[in-house]
Amino acid sequence: DPGYVMQDADVDWAVDVHRRFFGDDLLMQALRDRPPHPFVAHWRWPLTSPHAVVELLNRACALTVVPIDVGTVLARSTNSGAVNGRLSSDLYVLEVAGFATRYGWEVQREPSLPSGRRPDLRLLGEGEELWVEVTGTGPDRPRLSVEAWSQSVVPALMAIGSRHDVEISGSASSTQLDGDELQVFLAAVEVAAVDTASSGEQHLIAAIDISVSIRSGGSGIGTFEGPPLTGDMWPKLERRLLEKAMQTEGASAAWICVQDRSGLFQLTDLATVDEREQLRRLAHNVSIALADSPHIAGVVLSTGVRVDAGEEDHDTVLGAEDADSNPGSVVLRRRLPG
């Protein structure tokens, strides 16, 4: 119910559910796994992110609904190492398993196909059988490189601005300025910030593909436009779909569920078109990629939880006029509490 108001008791209940399934030692195991700690990521830290609270409740609800053997297997697999990686992937599996359970399907975890492959889930209904492979996509190397560069430069500029009560704004067109050259640039910004603080004179500092302006009357960062992302994100998703299609070969009918964290919808030209055009392009690409996998009944590509100013749920459906883009494909936008 999107109008539901969350209570502290709901979060307490969700924490108890997690403790019961994962044990109190999950967090220490996560630290032993490798940093970063899974609950420090901004999308999982309940103290600072509504998204994280929704995810916490979502996982707790799924653990409560799914058969105890399925929930226990998922919890045990998360505890067996590589906690950071498994916590997200198993949540996606739990979401699907919980959804199927609520609609009356029997859920089996990692059953074996005649080929010996073991998709994530097998769903049994009244005379029906569906196999489901669940996966997630994360940022590619270029995006990770840009994010790492920005996360080192922006805080450094913010600290300089805060130390000297000046405002620093700027932009960068690449990550080329790095290492010792970057430190020289930051030192020049600091010198200029000291002068601006005392004289009130605005300064412009430029280096390789980066420039900043420093003015009095502020403190910290004004605006900073980081390096643009380039390249095509579709090939990575296509490879993932083909891998999962192969994983389910031999199934009578299979679905592939993908939780996208790559930025496909926010950082490509898909962000500049409406939902219908997004759907048309993606449905067209998916149809071509899986043309040789007739056992794939469908693909779910989810953005996951996002901030949305819309006040209503709505669907966007492709009709017969979109014959080249898999008619019947649909965008489902659903509001969540909070």
Side-chain angles (χ1 to χ4, degrees):
D1 176 8
Y4 175 76
V5 178
M6 206 174 299
Q7 306 292 330
D8 288 346
D10 298 324
V11 177
D12 291 341
W13 167 81
V15 170
D16 287 340
V17 171
H18 281 71
R19 180 178 290 115
R20 192 159 60 246
F21 272 90
F22 296 107
D24 279 326
D25 60 344
L26 171 67
L27 302 184
M28 288 306 298
Q29 289 191 42
L31 288 173
R32 289 194 295 269
D33 177 12
R34 71 177 189 275
H37 192 286
F39 286 100
V40 172
H42 65 86
W43 64 87
R44 289 209 193 107
W45 189 240
L47 295 179
T48 59
S49 171
H51 180 162
V53 177
V54 172
E55 183 174 294
L56 185 77
L57 291 169
N58 192 8
R59 189 188 296 106
C61 290
L63 285 168
T64 303
V65 168
V66 299
I68 187 68
D69 58 327
V70 174
T72 302
V73 167
L74 284 167
R76 188 183 306 121
S77 67
T78 303
N79 284 335
S80 63
V83 172
N84 289 303
R86 294 302 299 268
L87 206 59
S88 285
S89 62
D90 284 346
L91 173 59
Y92 308 153
V93 177
L94 270 173
E95 287 177 347
V96 178
F99 183 77
T101 301
R102 289 195 296 275
Y103 280 82
W105 293 80
E106 178 189 341
V107 179
Q108 297 177 356
R109 169 68 169 151
E110 291 189 346
S112 180
L113 284 166
S115 63
R117 295 187 175 94
R118 302 175 71 89
D120 291 309
L121 297 171
R122 182 189 185 203
L123 310 181
L124 299 172
E126 296 181 1
E128 292 186 87
E129 176 187 68
L130 291 175
W131 299 74
V132 183
E133 187 67 10
V134 184
T135 188
T137 59
D140 57 14
R141 289 183 183 276
R143 180 180 169 188
L144 290 172
S145 174
V146 168
E147 288 183 347
W149 186 89
S150 297
Q151 288 169 5
S152 66
V153 172
V154 173
L157 294 174
M158 183 180 297
I160 293 171
S162 298
R163 278 197 296 272
H164 304 292
D165 290 326
V166 297
E167 182 180 276
I168 300 176
S169 297
S171 64
S173 58
S174 79
T175 60
Q176 186 175 348
L177 187 69
D178 209 351
D180 291 341
E181 291 178 326
L182 176 59
Q183 296 309 310
V184 170
F185 173 77
L186 292 174
V189 172
E190 180 112 35
V191 171
V194 172
D195 185 73
T196 296
S198 62
S199 68
E201 182 182 350
Q202 182 170 330
H203 285 274
L204 178 65
I205 307 295
I208 305 172
D209 293 339
I210 181 174
S211 64
V212 299
S213 63
I214 307 164
R215 68 174 187 86
S216 58
S219 180
I221 283 283
T223 60
F224 188 86
E225 185 175 333
L229 290 164
T230 59
D232 186 356
M233 289 186 175
W234 170 252
K236 180 179 180 180
L237 176 57
E238 182 180 38
R239 288 193 298 272
R240 184 64 56 87
L241 292 175
L242 292 173
E243 289 169 4
K244 297 308 178 183
M246 185 178 297
Q247 178 70 6
T248 54
E249 278 187 355
S252 53
W255 279 77
I256 302 172
C257 299
V258 184
Q259 185 87 226
D260 178 68
R261 289 195 186 277
S262 70
L264 179 71
F265 292 91
Q266 299 86 18
L267 302 175
T268 70
D269 58 355
L270 287 178
T272 65
V273 298
D274 61 22
E275 283 185 347
R276 183 179 184 79
E277 180 61 15
Q278 288 180 354
L279 178 61
R280 194 193 66 77
R281 294 183 190 181
L282 288 170
H284 178 74
N285 285 4
V286 169
S287 297
I288 292 174
L290 298 177
D292 296 328
S293 302
H295 68 289
I296 299 298
V299 173
V300 176
L301 178 59
S302 174
T303 63
V305 178
R306 292 172 59 186
V307 175
D308 189 342
E311 297 182 356
E312 295 181 358
D313 298 339
H314 69 265
D315 302 345
T316 302
V317 185
L318 295 185
E321 67 275 15
D322 299 291
D324 65 332
S325 299
N326 209 340
S329 297
V330 59
V331 173
L332 305 175
R333 183 190 291 271
R334 296 293 181 266
R335 293 173 300 152
L336 294 172

PDB file of all heavy atoms in Angstrom, residues 146 168 222 228 296 301 331:
ATOM      1  N   VAL A 146      35.699   6.438 -13.543  1.00  0.00           N
ATOM      2  CA  VAL A 146      35.230   7.820 -13.410  1.00  0.00           C
ATOM      3  C   VAL A 146      34.764   8.093 -11.985  1.00  0.00           C
ATOM      4  O   VAL A 146      35.073   9.142 -11.398  1.00  0.00           O
ATOM      5  CB  VAL A 146      34.104   8.106 -14.422  1.00  0.00           C
ATOM      6  CG1 VAL A 146      33.414   9.422 -14.101  1.00  0.00           C
ATOM      7  CG2 VAL A 146      34.663   8.141 -15.838  1.00  0.00           C
ATOM      8  N   ILE A 168      33.980  26.646  -4.395  1.00  0.00           N
ATOM      9  CA  ILE A 168      34.709  26.135  -5.554  1.00  0.00           C
ATOM     10  C   ILE A 168      33.733  25.417  -6.475  1.00  0.00           C
ATOM     11  O   ILE A 168      33.014  24.515  -6.053  1.00  0.00           O
ATOM     12  CB  ILE A 168      35.831  25.171  -5.120  1.00  0.00           C
ATOM     13  CG1 ILE A 168      36.825  25.899  -4.205  1.00  0.00           C
ATOM     14  CG2 ILE A 168      36.548  24.603  -6.339  1.00  0.00           C
ATOM     15  CD1 ILE A 168      37.917  25.009  -3.653  1.00  0.00           C
ATOM     16  N   GLY A 222      30.449  24.403  -4.872  1.00  0.00           N
ATOM     17  CA  GLY A 222      29.244  24.955  -5.475  1.00  0.00           C
ATOM     18  C   GLY A 222      28.637  23.904  -6.382  1.00  0.00           C
ATOM     19  O   GLY A 222      27.769  23.138  -5.991  1.00  0.00           O
ATOM     20  N   PRO A 228      32.398  12.933 -18.399  1.00  0.00           N
ATOM     21  CA  PRO A 228      31.264  12.205 -18.982  1.00  0.00           C
ATOM     22  C   PRO A 228      31.606  10.736 -19.176  1.00  0.00           C
ATOM     23  O   PRO A 228      32.770  10.365 -19.334  1.00  0.00           O
ATOM     24  CB  PRO A 228      31.064  12.901 -20.334  1.00  0.00           C
ATOM     25  CG  PRO A 228      32.415  13.421 -20.685  1.00  0.00           C
ATOM     26  CD  PRO A 228      33.047  13.812 -19.374  1.00  0.00           C
ATOM     27  N   ILE A 296      13.396 -19.274 -23.697  1.00  0.00           N
ATOM     28  CA  ILE A 296      13.241 -18.094 -22.841  1.00  0.00           C
ATOM     29  C   ILE A 296      11.860 -17.483 -23.083  1.00  0.00           C
ATOM     30  O   ILE A 296      11.567 -16.965 -24.158  1.00  0.00           O
ATOM     31  CB  ILE A 296      14.338 -17.043 -23.119  1.00  0.00           C
ATOM     32  CG1 ILE A 296      15.717 -17.625 -22.827  1.00  0.00           C
ATOM     33  CG2 ILE A 296      14.104 -15.789 -22.266  1.00  0.00           C
ATOM     34  CD1 ILE A 296      15.929 -18.034 -21.377  1.00  0.00           C
ATOM     35  N   LEU A 301      13.594  -6.763 -16.660  1.00  0.00           N
ATOM     36  CA  LEU A 301      14.734  -5.865 -16.469  1.00  0.00           C
ATOM     37  C   LEU A 301      14.283  -4.752 -15.536  1.00  0.00           C
ATOM     38  O   LEU A 301      13.482  -3.904 -15.911  1.00  0.00           O
ATOM     39  CB  LEU A 301      15.192  -5.294 -17.814  1.00  0.00           C
ATOM     40  CG  LEU A 301      16.342  -4.292 -17.792  1.00  0.00           C
ATOM     41  CD1 LEU A 301      17.577  -4.910 -17.163  1.00  0.00           C
ATOM     42  CD2 LEU A 301      16.652  -3.807 -19.205  1.00  0.00           C
ATOM     43  N   VAL A 331       6.124  -1.803 -19.464  1.00  0.00           N
ATOM     44  CA  VAL A 331       6.790  -1.150 -18.334  1.00  0.00           C
ATOM     45  C   VAL A 331       5.787  -1.083 -17.188  1.00  0.00           C
ATOM     46  O   VAL A 331       4.671  -0.609 -17.370  1.00  0.00           O
ATOM     47  CB  VAL A 331       7.229   0.302 -18.684  1.00  0.00           C
ATOM     48  CG1 VAL A 331       7.755   0.995 -17.414  1.00  0.00           C
ATOM     49  CG2 VAL A 331       8.301   0.299 -19.751  1.00  0.00           C
TER      50      VAL A 331
END
